[in-house]
Structure formats: C-alpha cells, structure tokens
Amino acid sequence: MYTKEEMVVISLMYSKVKKERYVVSVFDHVILSMMFKSSIENNLSLFDRNNIDELSNLALNRYELKYSVNDYEKLAKDIRAFLSAFNYRKYIREAKEEIDNARRSGIRVISYFDDEYPEIFKNLEIPPFVLYIKGNLPDIFQQQKCFSILGSRNLENNMANTLARSLGKEMKKIGWYNISNMTPGASEYGHRGTIGKTGVILGQGLNTQVLPLNNNELLDRIVENGGFIISELPLDVKVNPVGLTARNRLQVSMTKGIVVVESSKNSNATRIAKLALENEKKVFVIEVDGVNSSENMNLFNDKIISIKTKEDFVENLKNIETNLYT
C-alpha cells in the first residue's frame, strides 16, 4: 500500500522528539501505529488529509478497547495537527535523500512491506515502520535460538565483564545467537564473547557514533564476522531516551529471553527484564559474589531463574532449545 519512500516518511515522523524539561515524542506512538494499521486495513492513506479524522477515530476506538484512558481525543490532538499541516512533497524529498545516504553508507532500508522484514516485529503494538540494517539478520532457524546478555552501564567491574564474555563464548559453542544493545560494560563484553554469532540493536541512527568511541570498531567487527546492526531510527538521529526505550521492545521480541549479568537500581537492564517477563520470555539472573546482579531483581520472585555457574546457564539454554522442538 505504501512505497518505501512513504514508509521512510512515517519513520521520520515517528522519530521526531521535542525538548522541554525532558525529551518526549512529538505525538503518541501508539496512536500513530494504530492509525497506520487502520490505514492498511481500510485502504486509507495517512497522507491524504481527507482521511485524517476517520483514521484517528478508528485508532482511538482501538485505543479505548485496550487502555483505560479518559480523554482519548487529547491523545489524537497532536498527531491530527501534525498530519493536517503535513508537507508531503518535502518529506518525500527527505525520504529519498535518506535512502540514498543509506545506500552510500552500505546500509539497507527494509520497510514493513518487504520480504526481509522480520515477521515477529509485525506482532508488536508499535512495529518498526522501517529497519536500517548493516550486515545480515540470523536466518529463520537461528532466530529460534537467540538470547540476550545484559548488564548495567559499568566499565569498572572487570569480574562482571569477564563473566559476560565467558557466558557469550558458552552460548556460541552450543549454537545460540546473542542479540543485545552494546551498552558499555557487561552487554558490550557479551558481544565480544559471541563475535560471529551476535547482533546489535541501537537506539540511535546507524550513521551516528556509539560511546565509548572504541566500540565503533567493535560494531565493524560484528558486521565483518557475519553479524548485524539494526535501528528503526533514521540515519542521523542521535541517542535519546525515547529511542532507547523503543529499542528495548525490539531486543525482547527478537530473543527467547535474557541473562542479566549485572544490574543496579533503575538500570536499563532491569527495565528490559521487566519487559521480558511481561512478554513471557525467560529471565536469568547471575548470582555470583562480586557481581551486583540481584539488586532490584527480587521483585520478580519465582519468575526468574538463578544462574550460579556457566554450567547452569548452558543447561538452561539447552532446556529452552529442547522445548522449542517438542
């Protein structure tokens, strides 16, 4: 229904943020997604101003069925205003330039309607409108055996980093693929341990640099060794809280579960763990002296699996694998 350029336009819309005291989205992403899905079902283009009211009403009806919110109209106000003042030609020019820039950088742009687009993302409440990809996504068989090594943003705890790398090597030995987010510390070292079977999901555009800067070389190594880097955000979008939060849902959806090597209060690793549990994914937590892995995780009670050794980790992965094929 939509051309690739038009899907990039929706991605450009989705990525817009405003800065007040906090960085927030220009409009509600759930409403945008529901309008998009309604537009496909009813063959009504988002880019036709005559369709805005009908699509927003359809989206609000979906929203009302799912959420207990009193003022639905308020949720749609910003996106109605945005689309009513929308300059289609200007955005199409930007989209074509975006696609050209991606091609020059060796980045593929995959839209929601392309064959290569992962089916698992279509089940998300807010599916990525496009994906920017370097490298190769795991094939359909490998996708059944993807896990995620996570940790707090901590470069100082050498024990946690060594442990994450060691777990990664064990994953790789038994044919599991590590999909994480290159957060400095345990997540980064998990990637280092799984070179050849690892991929990165970023909450920023692929033409921006990650920090610390030496991890940009690690990203290159991952792609050179058959892995991938993906983002749903346009090429030059810098890292921001909105993008990071959105990234987490992609990471959880692509994996069978996560292992938290190290966590701290209000860390992103803990937030991803909560999201994983909400989506009925496996959550392992390392409990080893000297590694701050269990702080803030006790609220999960019997929903988490305690891992005390590499052997525990491998055995639990093998149990998951066995259940995949029964």
Side-chain angles (χ1 to χ4, degrees):
M1 175 178 176
Y2 292 106
T3 66
K4 181 167 290 188
E5 288 81 6
E6 287 175 329
M7 292 303 294
V8 171
V9 168
I10 300 174
S11 175
L12 291 167
M13 292 163 50
Y14 168 83
S15 67
K16 285 190 171 296
V17 294
K18 56 185 177 182
K19 295 181 181 180
E20 295 171 353
R21 184 175 178 184
Y22 303 103
V23 176
V24 296
S25 302
V26 170
F27 41 70
D28 188 280
H29 285 167
V30 176
I31 293 293
L32 174 63
S33 177
M34 289 180 172
M35 288 181 71
F36 170 70
K37 291 176 181 178
S38 295
S39 77
I40 297 171
E41 293 168 5
N42 296 276
N43 197 30
L44 298 169
S45 173
L46 272 170
F47 303 117
D48 185 339
R49 287 188 177 88
N50 295 321
N51 297 334
I52 294 173
D53 286 341
E54 183 174 354
L55 287 175
S56 60
N57 287 334
L58 288 168
L60 291 175
N61 288 337
R62 285 176 181 254
Y63 205 101
E64 186 175 3
L65 289 172
K66 190 163 187 178
Y67 299 102
S68 298
V69 178
N70 293 323
D71 192 352
Y72 303 102
E73 279 295 318
K74 186 175 180 182
L75 289 170
K77 180 180 177 182
D78 289 339
I79 194 167
R80 276 199 187 116
F82 185 91
L83 289 170
S84 295
F86 187 76
N87 187 328
Y88 178 81
R89 290 183 179 179
K90 174 178 176 291
Y91 265 88
I92 286 292
R93 285 196 300 270
E94 288 184 22
K96 288 180 177 178
E97 184 176 346
E98 179 84 358
I99 293 170
D100 287 343
N101 288 340
R103 189 181 300 114
R104 285 192 288 270
S105 298
I107 297 167
R108 301 194 312 286
V109 180
I110 307 300
S111 94
Y112 180 92
F113 298 100
D114 289 336
D115 291 340
E116 192 179 351
Y117 186 94
E119 282 294 320
I120 196 167
F121 286 160
K122 291 189 176 181
N123 297 325
L124 293 172
E125 182 173 57
I126 308 172
F129 301 106
V130 298
L131 292 170
Y132 298 82
I133 305 176
K134 273 188 177 181
N136 298 296
L137 296 174
D139 63 33
I140 192 167
F141 300 104
Q142 182 67 76
Q143 287 172 26
Q144 297 299 310
K145 294 172 61 178
C146 292
F147 220 69
S148 184
I149 301 173
L150 290 176
S152 299
R153 183 179 290 271
N154 185 354
L155 289 170
E156 306 302 323
N157 192 337
N158 290 327
M159 183 174 177
N161 296 338
T162 300
L163 179 57
R165 191 171 200 160
S166 177
L167 293 178
K169 289 180 178 179
E170 295 300 321
M171 277 181 65
K172 184 177 174 180
K173 281 181 188 176
I174 61 172
W176 279 75
Y177 200 103
N178 173 35
I179 297 177
S180 196
N181 53 42
M182 194 61 83
T183 301
S187 298
E188 166 199 341
Y189 279 83
H191 286 300
R192 292 184 183 278
T194 48
I195 292 288
K197 271 192 175 296
T198 193
V200 181
I201 303 177
L202 293 179
Q204 60 192 85
L206 295 193
N207 271 357
T208 63
Q209 291 188 318
V210 300
L211 296 174
L213 291 177
N214 63 339
N215 275 358
N216 291 281
E217 295 178 10
L218 177 56
L219 289 174
D220 290 340
R221 283 183 59 208
I222 287 171
V223 172
E224 289 164 3
N225 285 274
F228 71 85
I229 312 166
I230 66 172
S231 175
E232 65 181 320
L233 299 174
L235 298 171
D236 296 320
V237 172
K238 295 181 179 179
V239 65
N240 64 71
V242 174
L244 292 176
T245 299
R247 171 204 65 190
N248 294 348
R249 83 194 193 288
L250 302 185
Q251 184 173 345
V252 168
S253 70
M254 288 192 79
T255 58
K256 296 299 177 185
I258 65 173
V259 54
V260 181
V261 176
E262 185 177 32
S263 67
S264 57
K265 188 175 182 181
N266 296 323
S267 69
N268 193 56
T270 303
R271 288 191 288 273
I272 295 176
K274 289 180 180 178
L275 185 60
L277 288 170
E278 289 169 4
N279 286 272
E280 300 182 344
K281 302 296 180 83
K282 297 292 184 183
V283 175
F284 302 163
V285 176
I286 300 298
E287 293 196 59
V288 178
D289 290 341
V291 177
N292 184 22
S293 58
S294 56
E295 181 182 337
N296 213 40
M297 302 298 285
N298 56 356
L299 69 159
F300 299 137
N301 300 318
D302 60 346
K303 294 182 179 180
I304 65 168
I305 299 169
S306 173
I307 302 294
K308 293 182 171 61
T309 65
K310 289 188 296 184
E311 291 73 20
D312 284 345
F313 180 58
V314 169
E315 190 62 31
N316 275 281
L317 284 182
K318 287 181 176 178
N319 287 339
I320 295 174
E321 185 175 343
T322 298
N323 292 331
L324 291 177
Y325 306 109
T326 57

